[in-house]
Amino acid sequence: MATTQHIDLILINGYLEALDLAVIEQMLDLYIEQSALYLTAINRAVVNMDEKAWQEQCHKMKGAAASTGLSQVHQKLLLIEKSHEDAETKAQHLQALSLLNQQAIAAFQQWFAEQ
């Protein structure tokens, strides 16, 4: 898995210059917890066919992914946040987003292990 494919190394290395490695680890841990909550809320929005909740939760997760440096997750959320597709298509987006999120977290953890 290519770390640079999933994470914004310029942003993360900038954090590394300004912050202790332990702070970056806490940031990742917080993102992992929050992203699970966002994904659950996004799923609930799909099930309830709640367009407003879909957009709100995608927007929140998009910001969290961007500030954590998970560039591909951020890009995926940019694409789907304002989509007005049917529930089946949104469920497919959610499945792809969940997988992408797992891959990005693994890439970040791999980067962290190499520091």
Side-chain angles (χ1 to χ4, degrees), residues 3 34 40 49:
T3 300
Q34 285 300 120
T40 298
M49 294 185 286

Side-chain angles (χ1 to χ4, degrees), residues 7-115:
I7 64 175
D8 180 347
L9 288 175
I10 294 170
L11 178 67
I12 302 304
N13 286 325
Y15 285 159
L16 191 55
E17 290 176 16
L19 303 170
D20 186 78
L21 203 53
V23 174
I24 297 172
E25 184 177 28
Q26 289 173 344
M27 182 180 72
L28 177 59
D29 289 344
L30 179 61
Y31 175 81
I32 291 169
E33 290 174 24
Q34 285 300 120
S35 68
L37 297 175
Y38 294 140
L39 290 168
T40 298
I42 293 168
N43 183 61
R44 191 169 32 254
V46 171
V47 170
N48 295 332
M49 294 185 286
D50 185 338
E51 192 76 31
K52 184 177 182 209
W54 168 271
Q55 290 182 4
E56 287 174 355
Q57 296 305 315
C58 286
H59 182 76
K60 288 178 185 178
M61 187 171 178
K62 180 181 71 173
S67 65
T68 309
L70 303 182
S71 53
Q72 284 194 341
V73 173
H74 176 254
Q75 289 299 314
K76 177 69 173 173
L77 286 157
L78 274 173
L79 291 172
I80 67 172
E81 174 185 4
K82 297 193 191 273
S83 66
H84 297 285
E85 297 162 318
D86 61 35
E88 184 179 332
T89 303
K90 285 186 175 181
Q92 292 169 357
H93 285 312
L94 176 58
Q95 185 177 11
L97 175 63
S98 295
L99 177 60
L100 195 58
N101 194 55
Q102 290 170 0
Q103 292 170 338
I105 289 169
F108 200 133
Q109 289 170 328
Q110 177 184 338
W111 173 88
F112 192 81
E114 294 169 358
Q115 298 311 302

